Amino acid sequence: MKDSHKAIWLKRKNLGRSRYLVTFGIVPWGIGATLFTTLLELLVSHSINSTWIPIRLIVFAFIGFFVANGRWVAMEHRFEPPAPRRP
């Protein structure tokens, strides 16, 4: 892995886990996927059912949380040295 990847990870890790989850998971997935599916709905049915928008936000925010959390764990395993074992 490149040193630049490790530097990016360390910068993001300094944000803290909670802020990382919000910044790279909940907000982009929640808003992005909601906008995408709403636009897709508009293109297919030529109308938007406003009842589905908050439901989509909640569902996609949960998905974003789990995606970002999995990414956090994977990056910790990739870049953190293993803890020393006790005898």
Side-chain angles (χ1 to χ4, degrees):
M1 195 58 53
K2 294 182 180 179
D3 288 334
S4 63
H5 292 207
K6 186 172 185 175
I8 291 169
W9 165 242
L10 291 174
K11 186 185 264 188
R12 289 180 180 175
K13 186 177 180 182
N14 286 335
L15 291 173
R17 189 176 193 142
S18 298
R19 189 168 177 117
Y20 177 86
L21 292 174
V22 171
T23 305
F24 295 100
I26 295 171
V27 172
W29 275 85
I31 294 173
T34 299
L35 288 174
F36 176 73
T37 55
T38 303
L39 180 64
L40 192 63
E41 178 187 17
L42 180 63
L43 292 173
V44 171
S45 66
H46 303 290
S47 66
I48 296 174
N49 187 350
S50 61
T51 307
W52 282 100
I53 293 174
I55 295 169
R56 288 179 185 142
L57 275 171
I58 293 168
V59 169
F60 291 130
F62 271 111
I63 291 170
F65 170 82
F66 287 113
V67 168
N69 191 46
R71 182 81 173 147
W72 176 277
V73 170
M75 297 304 274
E76 276 190 332
H77 287 297
R78 180 179 292 170
F79 292 118
E80 297 297 319
R85 291 188 167 177
R86 292 186 191 178

